Amino acid sequence: DAMRIDFATWSDELNATFSAPSSPPPGHRLMPYHNRLPIIHTLSGQHPENTMLYRFRADPPTTTLQRLKGLTTGQLPTFIDAGSNFAGSAIDEDNWLQALRRPNTGATGGKRPRNLVFLGDDTWSSLFPRELSDTQEAEQNSTLWSEGSGGWARVRPFPSLNVWDLDTVDDGVFSRLPFFLLPSESDEHAMSPQAAADVRAKRAKWRELVRQQEMLAHPDFGASSQANMSSSPMASTAVGLEQLHRDWDVIIAHGLGVDHCGHRYGPDHPAISAKLAQTNEAIELIVDAVGRSDKATALYVFGDHGMDPKGDHGGDSPREVDAALWVYSNKVWNTKEGKERSSRVLEQASTLVKNEPLGAALDDDLKDGWWLNTHLSDDYRQLLEPSKL
């Protein structure tokens, strides 16, 4: 939440400038959020065909609930909605969560709902009470659910409105991700001693990320005070820990620490440096898990909006709308051929917008805004400016 684009970018110049004993040159000031996500920079250098960082421009109003509506339905949020940021009602419009969780009854029919994991901000639960309905209890009753006919869901929302609380939501996410990203104990038995030791070391790193260790006393982790992530009530008689690890289709994890740091202290406070460092460690562990997976997997790390110099958001100032969007996959995708194909698609779509009769229904400023809001990086903007077509 609130991952502003300059929180994710990297500057070798800043590092060189501020590692020197001399005072910084005019106009340069190292901020607590500078260069705090080095994993993005590192992977961009090591695996450029697997990753890309974009500037994601959020449509205002940049309140979280309205941004979630826009991100899930594809519709533009309105300032009229902004007053309901803290009292969201269920979304009835078509959305991708609905598509994931409903059986496929189309021409290709027979597909089960996707296996879904949700962890984080409870705003999602108010917007998608049907789609984000945990199936664990129903799995215990064979008359309500049977493996193969219904996709399972694990849903763990955490309270989001206390902006002074920097850790509860993030700890809830980080403590439970290992269930889905790391092999279970039974899988470890089939590994070499070195591989099993590596999995246990990764599990220990996840535990270290949890700042409120009492979070690990939750029933999800069983009775063990050591947070036994290998035998947990998160599983059911129908969906064991092996299935939780191997069979998920989509994981949504919505952390709030960065956003709450902004509201409580502002982006210039050291607390945001520590929170971004924690986020960087979590991304490293997720990337490691994705890299080890034998199925094609994509990781999207992005902000629903940014924040202004005071740490607030809701309006349309540049720092409120300029968020980060980082994409990583364990399969090659960011190739020259792929970029050329994307350019052709964007050019053809823009031509449709500008031509009659579709274009006649659009105001000129909306046509121009197409370019502003479609291209997520300056590279695309320079390549496909209308004046160059």
Side-chain angles (χ1 to χ4, degrees), residues 25 45 47 59 61 80 105 146 149 168 193 208 237 275 307 315 340 342:
H47 304 289
D59 290 297
I80 295 176
T105 57
S146 61
S149 62
T168 295
E208 291 169 4
T237 55
K275 183 54 69 173
M307 64 175 71
E340 290 174 348
S342 297

Side-chain angles (χ1 to χ4, degrees), residues 163-237:
V163 297
W164 285 67
D165 180 356
L166 308 185
D167 298 315
T168 295
V169 177
D170 289 2
D171 285 350
V173 172
F174 297 152
S175 61
R176 288 161 177 80
L177 275 175
F179 287 119
F180 311 101
L181 297 180
L182 296 178
S184 66
E185 185 176 14
S186 60
D187 285 336
E188 288 179 31
H189 291 160
M191 299 178 183
S192 68
Q194 180 59 46
D198 184 61
V199 170
R200 290 192 292 271
K202 293 293 191 299
R203 189 172 287 117
K205 286 186 176 181
W206 277 111
R207 286 198 294 266
E208 291 169 4
L209 279 183
V210 179
R211 292 183 173 178
Q212 301 174 119
Q213 287 292 301
E214 59 270 24
M215 176 71 73
L216 299 176
H218 189 277
D220 278 348
F221 305 102
S224 171
S225 60
Q226 297 302 313
N228 188 346
M229 296 178 183
S230 294
S231 60
S232 163
M234 286 280 278
S236 71
T237 55

Side-chain angles (χ1 to χ4, degrees), residues 296-364:
T297 306
L299 168 66
Y300 296 83
V301 179
F302 62 95
D304 52 342
H305 51 73
M307 64 175 71
D308 67 18
K310 294 182 179 180
D312 297 325
H313 57 90
D316 60 353
S317 68
R319 294 189 181 186
E320 291 173 276
V321 301
D322 278 349
L325 168 60
W326 181 64
V327 184
Y328 169 79
S329 175
N330 56 4
K331 303 297 182 183
V332 169
W333 63 275
N334 187 27
T335 62
K336 178 182 177 181
E337 292 77 12
K339 290 179 181 179
E340 290 174 348
R341 184 167 58 252
S342 297
S343 297
R344 289 195 299 271
V345 170
L346 289 171
E347 186 170 355
Q348 291 168 3
S350 178
T351 301
L352 282 174
V353 171
K354 291 175 179 297
N355 285 346
E356 304 286 350
L358 178 62
L362 300 176
D363 295 331
D364 288 338

